[in-house]
PDB file of all heavy atoms in Angstrom:
ATOM      1  N   PRO W 427     101.850 123.784 274.615  1.00 98.00           N
ATOM      2  CA  PRO W 427     102.350 122.788 273.781  1.00 98.00           C
ATOM      3  C   PRO W 427     103.104 123.388 272.540  1.00 98.00           C
ATOM      4  O   PRO W 427     102.599 124.349 271.985  1.00 98.00           O
ATOM      5  CB  PRO W 427     101.280 121.871 273.297  1.00 98.00           C
ATOM      6  CG  PRO W 427     100.168 122.014 274.400  1.00 98.00           C
ATOM      7  CD  PRO W 427     100.396 123.466 274.833  1.00 98.00           C
ATOM      8  N   VAL W 428     104.110 122.798 272.162  1.00 98.00           N
ATOM      9  CA  VAL W 428     104.771 123.119 270.861  1.00 98.00           C
ATOM     10  C   VAL W 428     103.982 122.572 269.794  1.00 98.00           C
ATOM     11  O   VAL W 428     103.430 121.470 269.761  1.00 98.00           O
ATOM     12  CB  VAL W 428     106.247 122.519 270.810  1.00 98.00           C
ATOM     13  CG1 VAL W 428     106.881 122.785 269.448  1.00 98.00           C
ATOM     14  CG2 VAL W 428     107.030 123.067 271.865  1.00 98.00           C
ATOM     15  N   ILE W 429     103.728 123.368 268.739  1.00 98.00           N
ATOM     16  CA  ILE W 429     102.900 122.884 267.516  1.00 98.00           C
ATOM     17  C   ILE W 429     103.732 122.594 266.421  1.00 98.00           C
ATOM     18  O   ILE W 429     104.591 123.381 266.025  1.00 98.00           O
ATOM     19  CB  ILE W 429     101.882 124.018 267.105  1.00 98.00           C
ATOM     20  CG1 ILE W 429     100.977 124.380 268.265  1.00 98.00           C
ATOM     21  CG2 ILE W 429     101.144 123.507 265.998  1.00 98.00           C
ATOM     22  CD1 ILE W 429     100.072 123.324 268.837  1.00 98.00           C
ATOM     23  N   ASP W 430     103.722 121.263 265.860  1.00 98.00           N
ATOM     24  CA  ASP W 430     104.465 120.846 264.855  1.00 98.00           C
ATOM     25  C   ASP W 430     103.575 120.188 263.779  1.00 98.00           C
ATOM     26  O   ASP W 430     103.111 119.126 263.968  1.00 98.00           O
ATOM     27  CB  ASP W 430     105.599 119.842 265.293  1.00 98.00           C
ATOM     28  CG  ASP W 430     106.737 119.728 264.341  1.00 98.00           C
ATOM     29  OD1 ASP W 430     106.397 119.523 263.165  1.00 98.00           O
ATOM     30  OD2 ASP W 430     107.876 119.629 264.810  1.00 98.00           O
ATOM     31  N   PRO W 431     103.439 120.866 262.607  1.00 98.00           N
ATOM     32  CA  PRO W 431     102.530 120.268 261.704  1.00 98.00           C
ATOM     33  C   PRO W 431     103.072 118.921 261.014  1.00 98.00           C
ATOM     34  O   PRO W 431     102.394 118.291 260.367  1.00 98.00           O
ATOM     35  CB  PRO W 431     102.513 121.234 260.608  1.00 98.00           C
ATOM     36  CG  PRO W 431     103.745 122.124 260.737  1.00 98.00           C
ATOM     37  CD  PRO W 431     103.928 122.083 262.212  1.00 98.00           C
ATOM     38  N   ARG W 432     104.359 118.527 261.295  1.00 98.00           N
ATOM     39  CA  ARG W 432     104.868 117.262 260.603  1.00 98.00           C
ATOM     40  C   ARG W 432     104.200 116.082 261.214  1.00 98.00           C
ATOM     41  O   ARG W 432     104.247 115.019 260.595  1.00 98.00           O
ATOM     42  CB  ARG W 432     106.331 117.338 260.855  1.00 98.00           C
ATOM     43  CG  ARG W 432     107.094 118.254 260.112  1.00 98.00           C
ATOM     44  CD  ARG W 432     108.613 118.135 260.314  1.00 98.00           C
ATOM     45  NE  ARG W 432     108.895 118.527 261.726  1.00 98.00           N
ATOM     46  CZ  ARG W 432     110.140 118.436 262.245  1.00 98.00           C
ATOM     47  NH1 ARG W 432     111.201 118.034 261.622  1.00 98.00           N
ATOM     48  NH2 ARG W 432     110.421 118.735 263.521  1.00 98.00           N
ATOM     49  N   ILE W 433     103.452 116.101 262.365  1.00 98.00           N
ATOM     50  CA  ILE W 433     102.763 114.952 262.868  1.00 98.00           C
ATOM     51  C   ILE W 433     101.197 115.086 262.690  1.00 98.00           C
ATOM     52  O   ILE W 433     100.588 114.259 263.303  1.00 98.00           O
ATOM     53  CB  ILE W 433     103.182 114.756 264.413  1.00 98.00           C
ATOM     54  CG1 ILE W 433     102.876 116.126 265.244  1.00 98.00           C
ATOM     55  CG2 ILE W 433     104.574 114.246 264.499  1.00 98.00           C
ATOM     56  CD1 ILE W 433     102.997 115.786 266.694  1.00 98.00           C
ATOM     57  N   LYS W 434     100.776 115.851 261.738  1.00 98.00           N
ATOM     58  CA  LYS W 434      99.351 115.913 261.470  1.00 98.00           C
ATOM     59  C   LYS W 434      99.026 114.724 260.618  1.00 98.00           C
ATOM     60  O   LYS W 434      99.868 113.994 260.111  1.00 98.00           O
ATOM     61  CB  LYS W 434      99.084 117.201 260.630  1.00 98.00           C
ATOM     62  CG  LYS W 434      99.568 117.312 259.266  1.00 98.00           C
ATOM     63  CD  LYS W 434      99.528 118.719 258.721  1.00 98.00           C
ATOM     64  CE  LYS W 434      98.197 119.472 258.743  1.00 98.00           C
ATOM     65  NZ  LYS W 434      98.401 120.749 258.306  1.00 98.00           N
ATOM     66  N   GLU W 435      97.719 114.474 260.374  1.00 98.00           N
ATOM     67  CA  GLU W 435      97.344 113.326 259.629  1.00 98.00           C
ATOM     68  C   GLU W 435      97.683 113.487 258.206  1.00 98.00           C
ATOM     69  O   GLU W 435      98.119 114.571 257.716  1.00 98.00           O
ATOM     70  CB  GLU W 435      95.650 113.356 259.821  1.00 98.00           C
ATOM     71  CG  GLU W 435      95.089 112.172 259.240  1.00 98.00           C
ATOM     72  CD  GLU W 435      95.531 110.822 259.838  1.00 98.00           C
ATOM     73  OE1 GLU W 435      96.696 110.424 259.423  1.00 98.00           O
ATOM     74  OE2 GLU W 435      94.801 110.255 260.617  1.00 98.00           O
ATOM     75  N   ILE W 436      97.618 112.345 257.525  1.00 98.00           N
ATOM     76  CA  ILE W 436      97.928 112.378 256.037  1.00 98.00           C
ATOM     77  C   ILE W 436      96.949 113.302 255.304  1.00 98.00           C
ATOM     78  O   ILE W 436      95.826 113.402 255.707  1.00 98.00           O
ATOM     79  CB  ILE W 436      97.933 110.955 255.427  1.00 98.00           C
ATOM     80  CG1 ILE W 436      98.339 110.910 253.923  1.00 98.00           C
ATOM     81  CG2 ILE W 436      96.567 110.327 255.591  1.00 98.00           C
ATOM     82  CD1 ILE W 436      98.627 109.537 253.454  1.00 98.00           C
ATOM     83  N   GLY W 437      97.498 114.012 254.385  1.00 98.00           N
ATOM     84  CA  GLY W 437      96.784 115.049 253.641  1.00 98.00           C
ATOM     85  C   GLY W 437      96.076 114.283 252.371  1.00 98.00           C
ATOM     86  O   GLY W 437      96.750 113.874 251.562  1.00 98.00           O
ATOM     87  N   PHE W 438      94.700 114.434 252.341  1.00 98.00           N
ATOM     88  CA  PHE W 438      93.915 113.832 251.190  1.00 98.00           C
ATOM     89  C   PHE W 438      93.585 114.937 250.170  1.00 98.00           C
ATOM     90  O   PHE W 438      92.657 114.617 249.446  1.00 98.00           O
ATOM     91  CB  PHE W 438      92.785 112.929 251.763  1.00 98.00           C
ATOM     92  CG  PHE W 438      93.200 111.688 252.194  1.00 98.00           C
ATOM     93  CD1 PHE W 438      92.603 111.116 253.284  1.00 98.00           C
ATOM     94  CD2 PHE W 438      94.245 110.952 251.530  1.00 98.00           C
ATOM     95  CE1 PHE W 438      92.957 109.801 253.833  1.00 98.00           C
ATOM     96  CE2 PHE W 438      94.522 109.630 252.034  1.00 98.00           C
ATOM     97  CZ  PHE W 438      93.905 109.137 253.138  1.00 98.00           C
ATOM     98  N   GLY W 439      94.079 116.043 250.168  1.00 98.00           N
ATOM     99  CA  GLY W 439      93.847 117.046 249.153  1.00 98.00           C
ATOM    100  C   GLY W 439      92.537 117.468 249.016  1.00 98.00           C
ATOM    101  O   GLY W 439      91.730 117.812 250.089  1.00 98.00           O
ATOM    102  N   ILE W 440      91.861 117.397 247.878  1.00 98.00           N
ATOM    103  CA  ILE W 440      90.488 117.872 247.708  1.00 98.00           C
ATOM    104  C   ILE W 440      89.415 116.935 248.399  1.00 98.00           C
ATOM    105  O   ILE W 440      88.359 117.357 248.577  1.00 98.00           O
ATOM    106  CB  ILE W 440      90.111 117.869 246.072  1.00 98.00           C
ATOM    107  CG1 ILE W 440      90.237 116.431 245.598  1.00 98.00           C
ATOM    108  CG2 ILE W 440      90.993 118.800 245.338  1.00 98.00           C
ATOM    109  CD1 ILE W 440      89.739 116.293 244.187  1.00 98.00           C
ATOM    110  N   ALA W 441      89.742 115.844 249.012  1.00 97.00           N
ATOM    111  CA  ALA W 441      88.853 115.101 249.760  1.00 97.00           C
ATOM    112  C   ALA W 441      88.659 115.648 251.165  1.00 97.00           C
ATOM    113  O   ALA W 441      87.701 115.281 251.790  1.00 97.00           O
ATOM    114  CB  ALA W 441      89.422 113.549 250.039  1.00 97.00           C
ATOM    115  N   CYS W 442      89.423 116.600 251.672  1.00 97.00           N
ATOM    116  CA  CYS W 442      89.215 117.279 252.841  1.00 97.00           C
ATOM    117  C   CYS W 442      87.877 117.995 252.760  1.00 97.00           C
ATOM    118  O   CYS W 442      87.610 118.723 251.862  1.00 97.00           O
ATOM    119  CB  CYS W 442      90.330 118.269 253.149  1.00 97.00           C
ATOM    120  SG  CYS W 442      91.903 117.446 253.598  1.00 97.00           S
ATOM    121  N   GLY W 443      87.111 117.818 253.850  1.00 96.00           N
ATOM    122  CA  GLY W 443      85.792 118.260 253.866  1.00 96.00           C
ATOM    123  C   GLY W 443      84.698 117.489 253.207  1.00 96.00           C
ATOM    124  O   GLY W 443      83.497 117.855 253.131  1.00 96.00           O
ATOM    125  N   LYS W 444      85.172 116.398 252.651  1.00 97.00           N
ATOM    126  CA  LYS W 444      84.242 115.516 251.962  1.00 97.00           C
ATOM    127  C   LYS W 444      83.815 114.283 252.859  1.00 97.00           C
ATOM    128  O   LYS W 444      84.452 114.096 253.888  1.00 97.00           O
ATOM    129  CB  LYS W 444      84.722 115.000 250.613  1.00 97.00           C
ATOM    130  CG  LYS W 444      85.164 116.077 249.693  1.00 97.00           C
ATOM    131  CD  LYS W 444      83.964 116.738 249.140  1.00 97.00           C
ATOM    132  CE  LYS W 444      84.246 117.529 247.764  1.00 97.00           C
ATOM    133  NZ  LYS W 444      85.419 118.551 247.869  1.00 97.00           N
ATOM    134  N   SER W 445      82.822 113.560 252.448  1.00 97.00           N
ATOM    135  CA  SER W 445      82.439 112.368 253.132  1.00 97.00           C
ATOM    136  C   SER W 445      83.292 111.203 252.796  1.00 97.00           C
ATOM    137  O   SER W 445      84.033 111.123 251.808  1.00 97.00           O
ATOM    138  CB  SER W 445      80.898 111.974 252.851  1.00 97.00           C
ATOM    139  OG  SER W 445      80.865 111.610 251.571  1.00 97.00           O
ATOM    140  N   ARG W 446      83.419 110.157 253.664  1.00 97.00           N
ATOM    141  CA  ARG W 446      84.022 108.889 253.487  1.00 97.00           C
ATOM    142  C   ARG W 446      83.480 108.279 252.158  1.00 97.00           C
ATOM    143  O   ARG W 446      84.222 107.647 251.419  1.00 97.00           O
ATOM    144  CB  ARG W 446      83.981 107.925 254.602  1.00 97.00           C
ATOM    145  CG  ARG W 446      84.650 108.534 255.838  1.00 97.00           C
ATOM    146  CD  ARG W 446      84.453 107.654 257.005  1.00 97.00           C
ATOM    147  NE  ARG W 446      84.945 108.263 258.279  1.00 97.00           N
ATOM    148  CZ  ARG W 446      84.808 107.751 259.416  1.00 97.00           C
ATOM    149  NH1 ARG W 446      84.281 106.624 259.624  1.00 97.00           N
ATOM    150  NH2 ARG W 446      85.285 108.383 260.507  1.00 97.00           N
ATOM    151  N   GLU W 447      82.118 108.318 252.113  1.00 97.00           N
ATOM    152  CA  GLU W 447      81.550 107.711 250.831  1.00 97.00           C
ATOM    153  C   GLU W 447      82.055 108.472 249.521  1.00 97.00           C
ATOM    154  O   GLU W 447      82.428 107.789 248.529  1.00 97.00           O
ATOM    155  CB  GLU W 447      79.954 107.803 250.863  1.00 97.00           C
ATOM    156  CG  GLU W 447      79.305 107.232 249.699  1.00 97.00           C
ATOM    157  CD  GLU W 447      77.849 107.373 249.821  1.00 97.00           C
ATOM    158  OE1 GLU W 447      77.319 108.135 250.738  1.00 97.00           O
ATOM    159  OE2 GLU W 447      77.094 106.816 248.911  1.00 97.00           O
ATOM    160  N   TRP W 448      82.182 109.755 249.513  1.00 98.00           N
ATOM    161  CA  TRP W 448      82.642 110.547 248.416  1.00 98.00           C
ATOM    162  C   TRP W 448      84.169 110.076 248.191  1.00 98.00           C
ATOM    163  O   TRP W 448      84.465 109.915 246.918  1.00 98.00           O
ATOM    164  CB  TRP W 448      82.652 112.072 248.734  1.00 98.00           C
ATOM    165  CG  TRP W 448      83.010 112.882 247.499  1.00 98.00           C
ATOM    166  CD1 TRP W 448      82.286 113.423 246.469  1.00 98.00           C
ATOM    167  CD2 TRP W 448      84.417 113.222 247.223  1.00 98.00           C
ATOM    168  NE1 TRP W 448      82.976 114.111 245.669  1.00 98.00           N
ATOM    169  CE2 TRP W 448      84.436 113.977 246.017  1.00 98.00           C
ATOM    170  CE3 TRP W 448      85.685 113.001 247.739  1.00 98.00           C
ATOM    171  CZ2 TRP W 448      85.519 114.553 245.448  1.00 98.00           C
ATOM    172  CZ3 TRP W 448      86.811 113.463 247.121  1.00 98.00           C
ATOM    173  CH2 TRP W 448      86.691 114.275 246.014  1.00 98.00           C
ATOM    174  N   PHE W 449      84.914 109.852 249.156  1.00 98.00           N
ATOM    175  CA  PHE W 449      86.301 109.437 249.053  1.00 98.00           C
ATOM    176  C   PHE W 449      86.382 108.018 248.346  1.00 98.00           C
ATOM    177  O   PHE W 449      87.125 107.895 247.397  1.00 98.00           O
ATOM    178  CB  PHE W 449      86.951 109.366 250.500  1.00 98.00           C
ATOM    179  CG  PHE W 449      88.444 108.921 250.397  1.00 98.00           C
ATOM    180  CD1 PHE W 449      89.372 109.811 250.386  1.00 98.00           C
ATOM    181  CD2 PHE W 449      88.794 107.585 250.449  1.00 98.00           C
ATOM    182  CE1 PHE W 449      90.698 109.469 250.474  1.00 98.00           C
ATOM    183  CE2 PHE W 449      90.104 107.204 250.356  1.00 98.00           C
ATOM    184  CZ  PHE W 449      91.048 108.191 250.344  1.00 98.00           C
ATOM    185  N   ARG W 450      85.453 107.206 248.895  1.00 97.00           N
ATOM    186  CA  ARG W 450      85.558 105.743 248.316  1.00 97.00           C
ATOM    187  C   ARG W 450      85.146 105.854 246.837  1.00 97.00           C
ATOM    188  O   ARG W 450      85.679 105.059 245.925  1.00 97.00           O
ATOM    189  CB  ARG W 450      84.607 104.951 249.039  1.00 97.00           C
ATOM    190  CG  ARG W 450      85.140 104.452 250.381  1.00 97.00           C
ATOM    191  CD  ARG W 450      84.177 103.337 251.049  1.00 97.00           C
ATOM    192  NE  ARG W 450      82.812 103.806 251.173  1.00 97.00           N
ATOM    193  CZ  ARG W 450      82.387 104.291 252.313  1.00 97.00           C
ATOM    194  NH1 ARG W 450      83.150 104.487 253.370  1.00 97.00           N
ATOM    195  NH2 ARG W 450      81.059 104.717 252.492  1.00 97.00           N
ATOM    196  N   ASN W 451      84.264 106.711 246.430  1.00 98.00           N
ATOM    197  CA  ASN W 451      83.728 106.744 245.046  1.00 98.00           C
ATOM    198  C   ASN W 451      84.723 107.539 244.147  1.00 98.00           C
ATOM    199  O   ASN W 451      84.572 107.387 242.836  1.00 98.00           O
ATOM    200  CB  ASN W 451      82.328 107.371 245.017  1.00 98.00           C
ATOM    201  CG  ASN W 451      81.287 106.572 245.597  1.00 98.00           C
ATOM    202  OD1 ASN W 451      81.430 105.311 245.790  1.00 98.00           O
ATOM    203  ND2 ASN W 451      80.239 107.188 246.126  1.00 98.00           N
ATOM    204  N   ASN W 452      85.549 108.398 244.618  1.00 98.00           N
ATOM    205  CA  ASN W 452      86.314 109.234 243.855  1.00 98.00           C
ATOM    206  C   ASN W 452      87.899 109.068 243.882  1.00 98.00           C
ATOM    207  O   ASN W 452      88.620 109.627 242.990  1.00 98.00           O
ATOM    208  CB  ASN W 452      86.033 110.675 244.165  1.00 98.00           C
ATOM    209  CG  ASN W 452      84.597 111.002 243.687  1.00 98.00           C
ATOM    210  OD1 ASN W 452      84.380 111.410 242.609  1.00 98.00           O
ATOM    211  ND2 ASN W 452      83.715 110.959 244.646  1.00 98.00           N
ATOM    212  N   ALA W 453      88.424 108.380 244.930  1.00 98.00           N
ATOM    213  CA  ALA W 453      89.785 108.196 245.107  1.00 98.00           C
ATOM    214  C   ALA W 453      90.496 107.364 243.932  1.00 98.00           C
ATOM    215  O   ALA W 453      89.749 106.368 243.497  1.00 98.00           O
ATOM    216  CB  ALA W 453      90.116 107.519 246.476  1.00 98.00           C
ATOM    217  N   ALA W 454      91.503 107.731 243.348  1.00 97.00           N
ATOM    218  CA  ALA W 454      92.192 107.033 242.379  1.00 97.00           C
ATOM    219  C   ALA W 454      92.714 105.705 242.887  1.00 97.00           C
ATOM    220  O   ALA W 454      93.337 105.754 244.013  1.00 97.00           O
ATOM    221  CB  ALA W 454      93.324 107.833 241.736  1.00 97.00           C
ATOM    222  N   LYS W 455      92.583 104.535 242.107  1.00 96.00           N
ATOM    223  CA  LYS W 455      93.073 103.325 242.509  1.00 96.00           C
ATOM    224  C   LYS W 455      94.554 103.212 242.226  1.00 96.00           C
ATOM    225  O   LYS W 455      94.986 103.817 241.106  1.00 96.00           O
ATOM    226  CB  LYS W 455      92.331 102.159 241.857  1.00 96.00           C
ATOM    227  CG  LYS W 455      90.810 102.206 242.010  1.00 96.00           C
ATOM    228  CD  LYS W 455      90.409 102.018 243.540  1.00 96.00           C
ATOM    229  CE  LYS W 455      88.969 102.037 243.674  1.00 96.00           C
ATOM    230  NZ  LYS W 455      88.518 102.029 245.118  1.00 96.00           N
ATOM    231  N   CYS W 456      95.349 102.502 242.968  1.00 96.00           N
ATOM    232  CA  CYS W 456      96.740 102.433 242.655  1.00 96.00           C
ATOM    233  C   CYS W 456      96.931 101.566 241.471  1.00 96.00           C
ATOM    234  O   CYS W 456      96.424 100.456 241.350  1.00 96.00           O
ATOM    235  CB  CYS W 456      97.499 101.869 243.835  1.00 96.00           C
ATOM    236  SG  CYS W 456      99.256 101.791 243.663  1.00 96.00           S
ATOM    237  N   PRO W 457      97.579 101.982 240.314  1.00 94.00           N
ATOM    238  CA  PRO W 457      97.804 101.233 239.204  1.00 94.00           C
ATOM    239  C   PRO W 457      98.614  99.968 239.514  1.00 94.00           C
ATOM    240  O   PRO W 457      99.447  99.914 240.456  1.00 94.00           O
ATOM    241  CB  PRO W 457      98.680 102.128 238.274  1.00 94.00           C
ATOM    242  CG  PRO W 457      98.397 103.503 238.832  1.00 94.00           C
ATOM    243  CD  PRO W 457      98.224 103.329 240.295  1.00 94.00           C
ATOM    244  N   GLU W 458      98.320  98.927 238.736  1.00 93.00           N
ATOM    245  CA  GLU W 458      99.034  97.668 238.921  1.00 93.00           C
ATOM    246  C   GLU W 458     100.540  97.927 238.561  1.00 93.00           C
ATOM    247  O   GLU W 458     100.841  98.651 237.681  1.00 93.00           O
ATOM    248  CB  GLU W 458      98.451  96.583 237.905  1.00 93.00           C
ATOM    249  CG  GLU W 458      99.007  95.226 238.227  1.00 93.00           C
ATOM    250  CD  GLU W 458      98.224  94.237 237.320  1.00 93.00           C
ATOM    251  OE1 GLU W 458      97.183  94.506 236.658  1.00 93.00           O
ATOM    252  OE2 GLU W 458      98.753  92.954 237.159  1.00 93.00           O
ATOM    253  N   ASN W 459     101.315  97.312 239.333  1.00 92.00           N
ATOM    254  CA  ASN W 459     102.849  97.337 239.278  1.00 92.00           C
ATOM    255  C   ASN W 459     103.364  98.724 239.754  1.00 92.00           C
ATOM    256  O   ASN W 459     104.551  98.953 239.753  1.00 92.00           O
ATOM    257  CB  ASN W 459     103.306  97.209 237.859  1.00 92.00           C
ATOM    258  CG  ASN W 459     103.002  95.856 237.395  1.00 92.00           C
ATOM    259  OD1 ASN W 459     103.005  94.811 238.178  1.00 92.00           O
ATOM    260  ND2 ASN W 459     102.614  95.721 235.989  1.00 92.00           N
ATOM    261  N   ALA W 460     102.491  99.640 240.286  1.00 94.00           N
ATOM    262  CA  ALA W 460     102.961 100.952 240.810  1.00 94.00           C
ATOM    263  C   ALA W 460     103.413 100.643 242.296  1.00 94.00           C
ATOM    264  O   ALA W 460     102.840  99.651 242.940  1.00 94.00           O
ATOM    265  CB  ALA W 460     101.863 102.029 240.718  1.00 94.00           C
ATOM    266  N   ASP W 461     104.112 101.633 242.872  1.00 96.00           N
ATOM    267  CA  ASP W 461     104.524 101.477 244.267  1.00 96.00           C
ATOM    268  C   ASP W 461     103.414 102.071 245.100  1.00 96.00           C
ATOM    269  O   ASP W 461     103.100 103.346 244.999  1.00 96.00           O
ATOM    270  CB  ASP W 461     105.791 102.332 244.487  1.00 96.00           C
ATOM    271  CG  ASP W 461     106.221 102.209 245.898  1.00 96.00           C
ATOM    272  OD1 ASP W 461     105.599 101.517 246.650  1.00 96.00           O
ATOM    273  OD2 ASP W 461     107.381 102.870 246.186  1.00 96.00           O
ATOM    274  N   PRO W 462     102.664 101.281 245.842  1.00 95.00           N
ATOM    275  CA  PRO W 462     101.562 101.839 246.699  1.00 95.00           C
ATOM    276  C   PRO W 462     101.993 102.819 247.740  1.00 95.00           C
ATOM    277  O   PRO W 462     101.218 103.696 248.083  1.00 95.00           O
ATOM    278  CB  PRO W 462     101.053 100.492 247.487  1.00 95.00           C
ATOM    279  CG  PRO W 462     101.603  99.294 246.610  1.00 95.00           C
ATOM    280  CD  PRO W 462     102.834  99.784 246.069  1.00 95.00           C
ATOM    281  N   GLU W 463     103.217 102.754 248.150  1.00 97.00           N
ATOM    282  CA  GLU W 463     103.820 103.783 249.114  1.00 97.00           C
ATOM    283  C   GLU W 463     103.826 105.170 248.511  1.00 97.00           C
ATOM    284  O   GLU W 463     103.631 106.145 249.325  1.00 97.00           O
ATOM    285  CB  GLU W 463     105.194 103.275 249.465  1.00 97.00           C
ATOM    286  CG  GLU W 463     105.793 104.106 250.655  1.00 97.00           C
ATOM    287  CD  GLU W 463     105.157 103.822 251.935  1.00 97.00           C
ATOM    288  OE1 GLU W 463     104.285 102.902 252.092  1.00 97.00           O
ATOM    289  OE2 GLU W 463     105.539 104.428 252.992  1.00 97.00           O
ATOM    290  N   GLU W 464     103.922 105.306 247.185  1.00 97.00           N
ATOM    291  CA  GLU W 464     104.043 106.601 246.600  1.00 97.00           C
ATOM    292  C   GLU W 464     102.771 106.887 245.883  1.00 97.00           C
ATOM    293  O   GLU W 464     102.736 108.081 245.206  1.00 97.00           O
ATOM    294  CB  GLU W 464     105.296 106.678 245.710  1.00 97.00           C
ATOM    295  CG  GLU W 464     106.554 106.378 246.386  1.00 97.00           C
ATOM    296  CD  GLU W 464     106.914 107.382 247.493  1.00 97.00           C
ATOM    297  OE1 GLU W 464     106.399 108.450 247.419  1.00 97.00           O
ATOM    298  OE2 GLU W 464     107.650 106.998 248.453  1.00 97.00           O
ATOM    299  N   HIS W 465     101.774 106.071 245.858  1.00 97.00           N
ATOM    300  CA  HIS W 465     100.528 106.400 245.191  1.00 97.00           C
ATOM    301  C   HIS W 465      99.747 107.528 245.899  1.00 97.00           C
ATOM    302  O   HIS W 465      99.750 107.565 247.140  1.00 97.00           O
ATOM    303  CB  HIS W 465      99.548 105.179 245.134  1.00 97.00           C
ATOM    304  CG  HIS W 465      98.323 105.474 244.624  1.00 97.00           C
ATOM    305  ND1 HIS W 465      98.014 105.775 243.387  1.00 97.00           N
ATOM    306  CD2 HIS W 465      97.053 105.344 245.316  1.00 97.00           C
ATOM    307  CE1 HIS W 465      96.671 105.904 243.263  1.00 97.00           C
ATOM    308  NE2 HIS W 465      96.099 105.705 244.394  1.00 97.00           N
ATOM    309  N   LYS W 466      99.081 108.507 245.145  1.00 97.00           N
ATOM    310  CA  LYS W 466      98.315 109.492 245.706  1.00 97.00           C
ATOM    311  C   LYS W 466      96.864 109.278 245.280  1.00 97.00           C
ATOM    312  O   LYS W 466      96.556 109.140 244.083  1.00 97.00           O
ATOM    313  CB  LYS W 466      98.801 110.748 245.158  1.00 97.00           C
ATOM    314  CG  LYS W 466     100.185 111.185 245.685  1.00 97.00           C
ATOM    315  CD  LYS W 466     100.576 112.614 245.275  1.00 97.00           C
ATOM    316  CE  LYS W 466     102.103 112.987 245.757  1.00 97.00           C
ATOM    317  NZ  LYS W 466     102.364 114.301 245.424  1.00 97.00           N
ATOM    318  N   SER W 467      95.979 109.340 246.321  1.00 97.00           N
ATOM    319  CA  SER W 467      94.494 109.154 246.028  1.00 97.00           C
ATOM    320  C   SER W 467      94.019 110.208 245.093  1.00 97.00           C
ATOM    321  O   SER W 467      93.000 110.120 244.357  1.00 97.00           O
ATOM    322  CB  SER W 467      93.793 109.070 247.342  1.00 97.00           C
ATOM    323  OG  SER W 467      94.149 108.058 248.022  1.00 97.00           O
ATOM    324  N   PHE W 468      94.571 111.521 245.244  1.00 98.00           N
ATOM    325  CA  PHE W 468      94.129 112.666 244.466  1.00 98.00           C
ATOM    326  C   PHE W 468      95.418 113.387 244.091  1.00 98.00           C
ATOM    327  O   PHE W 468      96.467 113.364 244.772  1.00 98.00           O
ATOM    328  CB  PHE W 468      93.109 113.497 245.203  1.00 98.00           C
ATOM    329  CG  PHE W 468      91.936 112.848 245.747  1.00 98.00           C
ATOM    330  CD1 PHE W 468      91.849 112.252 246.969  1.00 98.00           C
ATOM    331  CD2 PHE W 468      90.880 112.677 244.810  1.00 98.00           C
ATOM    332  CE1 PHE W 468      90.818 111.608 247.430  1.00 98.00           C
ATOM    333  CE2 PHE W 468      89.629 112.001 245.324  1.00 98.00           C
ATOM    334  CZ  PHE W 468      89.669 111.466 246.524  1.00 98.00           C
TER     335      PHE W 468
END
């Protein structure tokens, strides 16, 4: 197979290697009136 990193999963930065619970407790909430499409959890 050809390997293409452009179709890998979304990158969650420092959350990689962490639990889903840790993610829920530490991910930044999208500010009101901000564009959710461009919001970064970390």
Side-chain angles (χ1 to χ4, degrees):
V428 176
I429 303 300
D430 196 316
R432 292 179 295 176
I433 53 170
K434 72 196 308 180
E435 188 57 282
I436 186 169
F438 281 139
I440 60 171
C442 291
K444 302 290 199 305
S445 69
R446 295 177 190 172
E447 182 179 8
W448 185 95
F449 182 94
R450 288 192 295 269
N451 292 335
N452 291 276
K455 305 299 182 184
C456 184
E458 190 174 347
N459 299 323
D461 183 357
E463 188 73 1
E464 300 303 332
H465 171 68
K466 297 183 178 184
S467 300
F468 302 95

